[in-house]
Amino acid sequence: MVLLGTVSADNIKKTDAEAKKAIHFENSLVYGSQFAAEDLPHFEMKEEPMPAETAYQLVHDELQGDGSTSLNLATFVTTYMEPQAEKLMMETLAKNIIDAEEYPASQDLSNRCVNMIARLFNAPVNNPDDESLGVSTIGSSEAIILATLAMKRKWQAARKAAGKPHYNPNIVMNSAVQVCWEKAARYLDIEEKYVYCTKDRYVIDPKQAIELCDENTIGVVGILGTTYTGEYEDIKALNDGLEKLQAEKGLDIKIHVDAASGGFVAPFVKPELEWDFRLPRVVSINASGHKYGMTYAGVGWAIWRSKEYLPEELVFHVNYLGAEQASFTLNFSKSATQVIGQYYVLIRNGKSGFRAIMQSITETSDWLAAQLESTGRFVRMNQGGGESLPLVAFRLKEKHHYDEFAIAARLRSRNWIIPAYTMAPHAEDLKLLRVVCRMDFSRSKAAALVRDIVQVCDFLDTQDQDTISAWFKDHQNAKKTNAKARKGTHMNDKHSLQGKHGKTHGIC
Ligand SMILES: *Cc1c(COP(=O)(O)O)cnc(C)c1O
């Protein structure tokens, strides 16, 4: 029996690099290999392949530079799913959901999701001749672009039929809209008409919104949970105002509700709130399945009250996949994974599961806000008790020699990702911090956060202004290094509401 291996003379004669490569391929060493000793390709693909395990490990390591998803309290987007959901999603990554003929079961799950979500939003379902419709999208942005396009086409058709000009459409919305609304308007050539926020109103003023409406208005946007403070806009008041407008001036203007964040919260925490298809003027709604719909990034939903609001000319019928099918999307191919994950979440939780989770995080957000206010340092800017999304938008109560941005930057060095930003246009003097409470934000995590916020403020209190400025500049520089690496991208755009008013697009 040979216990000792012999060292091959061949190997020893090779150059170091060759030997390393040989050692790698023979023994699957990742860190002893030439690949670990060199920088990974940034610009040009290499000629030679790399062993799978090495490629996996080195990319995995590279990604350690990202922030922690579970401490990222800046985003509404889901960062936790159950292992069973992940398993299903891994199993279905290879399916292209557009292939309805090949993957009818996946397509069917998508239709089931549309049905369940439409009913959750109280879509009228009793008239078989006029059914509600819906599609899965990549997120609310795609859903919003599709819904805006439908509103524009519907308006144009009505104007043409009446023999009136149909070239100057406009859309009425709050200046605190998410950036995708600016995109929708700009991409589709629609004038943006804004109702501006004030120092103490961050939601749309329904009266002003109605005043902005004219014969060229394709629709009014109501937001169920604004990006800045998570507040629900008064969509009932918009509905009633538009009813009155039609009675008085004959203008028939409808509402689209952006329920990206609130669509899966309000029905469970505040079911009596009328924001959805219960209101006759609401013709379409979008929701992000990947926000409080509790599915990983890449799924949204657009639902229309009836096919009357989805002009037939926008729906394409193709038969290249083996059978005729209707399509209303901006993309063609996409994985079935997210839709399947969404279906899992809907059947797994049921309504009472959703209710329990949404109520629990609402309570956590109220607890967190109470703790922050009890330090005497902060004021909460959004209402609690389920009157807004489960988040805490807050600002410093008094003027200090440091601001909310310094607090956010300091918290970042403790791994918490909490954005500081200035309020929407016309109220941009207000700075605020925002903590989004997602399903995986437990009470004990909230307690740890309060502890850290208090310590950060205590620390900042002891520092003089120059130290804080120097230190803050260093934090900004660290960010600039990244920006430099991305040279060629348009930093600090001056054409968007957010760019013009110094907002970051970082909050979503
Ligand atoms: C997040 C968000 C959007 C954009 O949604 P995506 O799903 O990220 O495309 C639009 N509107 C509001 C109110 C949002 O919160």
Side-chain angles (χ1 to χ4, degrees):
M1 195 166 59
V2 181
L3 284 174
L4 285 170
T6 48
V7 178
S8 133
D10 256 10
N11 240 358
I12 292 171
K13 273 189 240 134
K14 283 179 178 162
T15 63
D16 268 7
E18 280 170 341
K20 270 188 194 153
K21 197 166 173 183
I23 287 171
H24 179 86
F25 278 107
E26 281 156 26
N27 303 317
S28 299
L29 278 187
V30 172
Y31 296 116
S33 73
Q34 111 212 34
F35 303 106
E38 291 168 1
D39 199 1
L40 291 174
H42 288 229
F43 303 108
E44 175 98 31
M45 269 166 78
K46 289 207 168 175
E47 196 55 40
E48 296 294 313
M50 187 186 277
E53 185 53 38
T54 310
Y56 167 80
Q57 191 61 45
L58 296 181
V59 176
H60 174 91
D61 291 351
E62 198 91 0
L63 290 172
Q64 301 308 306
D66 280 344
S68 147
T69 48
S70 87
L71 298 181
N72 177 1
L73 306 180
T75 183
F76 288 108
V77 177
T78 302
T79 51
Y80 170 81
M81 289 184 81
E82 291 176 323
Q84 292 83 350
E86 291 186 346
K87 182 159 180 262
L88 265 178
M89 291 173 80
M90 289 305 292
E91 287 166 8
T92 50
L93 271 173
K95 295 189 186 184
N96 183 358
I97 201 158
I98 201 78
D99 297 348
E101 177 71 3
E102 287 81 353
Y103 306 123
S106 295
Q107 188 58 231
D108 192 36
L109 296 194
S110 177
N111 291 338
R112 292 184 207 177
C113 289
V114 165
N115 274 277
M116 287 191 263
I117 294 167
R119 279 174 168 77
L120 187 65
F121 299 166
N122 293 294
V125 287
N126 298 327
N127 181 356
D129 298 329
D130 195 15
E131 291 175 322
S132 303
L133 310 159
V135 285
S136 80
T137 58
I138 288 288
S140 280
S141 302
E142 186 191 0
I144 283 167
I145 292 172
L146 294 173
T148 306
L149 182 58
M151 285 194 288
K152 180 180 168 182
R153 283 304 164 93
K154 177 96 181 123
W155 169 84
Q156 279 176 329
R159 297 284 294 176
K160 279 185 202 166
K164 293 185 177 155
H166 54 276
Y167 306 112
N168 296 307
N170 68 56
I171 187 162
V172 174
M173 53 197 176
N174 182 356
S175 66
V177 284
Q178 211 262 3
V179 65
C180 69
W181 280 104
E182 290 184 73
K183 288 189 186 172
R186 225 64 73 77
Y187 294 176
L188 302 173
D189 240 336
I190 299 164
E191 184 196 345
E192 302 144 61
K193 282 194 164 186
Y194 291 112
V195 174
Y196 284 95
C197 293
T198 66
K199 295 222 172 329
D200 36 39
R201 176 182 49 74
Y202 321 125
V203 287
I204 203 165
D205 174 359
K207 199 163 154 277
Q208 283 182 41
I210 308 299
E211 281 164 12
L212 285 176
C213 290
D214 58 30
E215 58 178 9
N216 290 324
T217 303
I218 64 166
V220 176
V221 178
I223 313 173
L224 191 76
T226 66
T227 310
Y228 289 81
T229 55
E231 291 167 293
Y232 298 144
E233 299 198 319
D234 191 346
I235 294 155
K236 174 119 188 10
L238 287 176
N239 181 83
D240 297 350
L242 288 171
E243 294 275 308
K244 202 159 150 248
L245 184 73
Q246 180 162 21
E248 287 169 3
K249 297 201 181 148
L251 292 175
D252 180 12
I253 299 171
K254 306 288 203 236
I255 300 171
H256 173 90
V257 180
D258 178 357
S261 302
F264 290 99
V265 180
F268 302 107
V269 177
K270 217 172 151 33
E272 70 285 2
L273 182 72
E274 286 187 282
W275 63 274
D276 53 15
F277 293 117
R278 280 169 286 183
L279 301 173
R281 298 251 151 202
V282 173
V283 294
S284 48
I285 300 176
N286 68 276
S288 295
H290 54 217
K291 289 186 174 174
Y292 289 106
M294 299 192 289
T295 307
Y296 287 140
V299 64
W301 303 94
I303 313 279
W304 286 268
R305 167 183 287 278
S306 89
K307 55 178 183 287
E308 188 192 336
Y309 299 103
L310 186 54
E312 180 57 28
E313 83 231 43
L314 297 177
V315 180
F316 290 85
H317 297 271
V318 296
N319 63 3
Y320 358 96
L321 299 168
E324 174 145 318
Q325 62 182 83
S327 152
F328 183 42
T329 54
L330 295 180
N331 315 290
F332 192 66
S333 299
K334 74 173 178 190
S335 173
T337 290
Q338 270 77 9
V339 166
I340 289 164
Q342 178 79 82
Y343 185 69
Y344 170 91
V345 168
L346 295 177
I347 64 164
R348 153 77 173 135
N349 290 290
K351 289 182 183 162
S352 63
F354 263 90
R355 205 170 294 125
I357 293 169
M358 298 307 155
Q359 278 172 354
S360 161
I361 52 181
T362 299
E363 282 162 23
T364 304
S365 66
D366 288 346
W367 181 85
L368 173 66
Q371 293 290 308
L372 291 171
E373 290 198 317
S374 76
T375 64
R377 291 177 178 276
F378 299 107
V379 199
R380 185 180 197 177
M381 296 172 73
N382 62 323
Q383 255 186 299
E387 297 295 325
S388 65
L389 293 174
L391 63 79
V392 186
F394 61 109
R395 62 181 168 80
L396 283 164
K397 199 171 180 175
E398 285 155 15
K399 246 189 145 26
H400 294 264
H401 58 292
Y402 53 87
D403 63 4
E404 287 79 355
F405 285 83
I407 297 175
R410 196 73 209 161
L411 283 167
R412 187 76 175 88
S413 68
R414 294 179 177 227
N415 294 330
W416 296 106
I417 303 176
I418 292 172
Y421 48 101
T422 51
M423 202 48 194
H426 294 200
E428 59 266 78
D429 292 348
L430 285 173
K431 296 175 187 170
L432 60 153
L433 292 154
R434 190 191 73 183
V435 173
V436 174
C437 304
R438 293 186 306 269
M439 171 181 40
D440 50 331
F441 188 66
S442 61
R443 174 68 68 88
S444 77
K445 222 173 180 180
L449 175 63
V450 172
R451 232 174 15 242
D452 276 351
I453 291 178
V454 168
Q455 283 179 10
V456 159
C457 292
D458 287 346
F459 171 78
L460 290 170
D461 280 342
T462 65
Q463 304 298 303
D464 61 43
Q465 186 140 20
D466 287 349
T467 315
I468 293 175
S469 308
W471 173 82
F472 187 69
K473 215 163 152 201
D474 181 53
H475 179 77
Q476 296 295 94
N477 279 342
K479 280 203 245 163
K480 270 195 206 127
T481 320
N482 288 336
K484 217 158 128 201
R486 284 184 269 122
K487 71 174 186 287
T489 58
H490 301 277
M491 304 299 289
N492 304 322
D493 70 69
K494 289 283 173 250
H495 54 261
S496 72
L497 263 185
Q498 305 197 32
K500 274 199 290 257
H501 295 272
K503 281 218 165 60
T504 67
H505 287 239
I507 53 166
C508 56

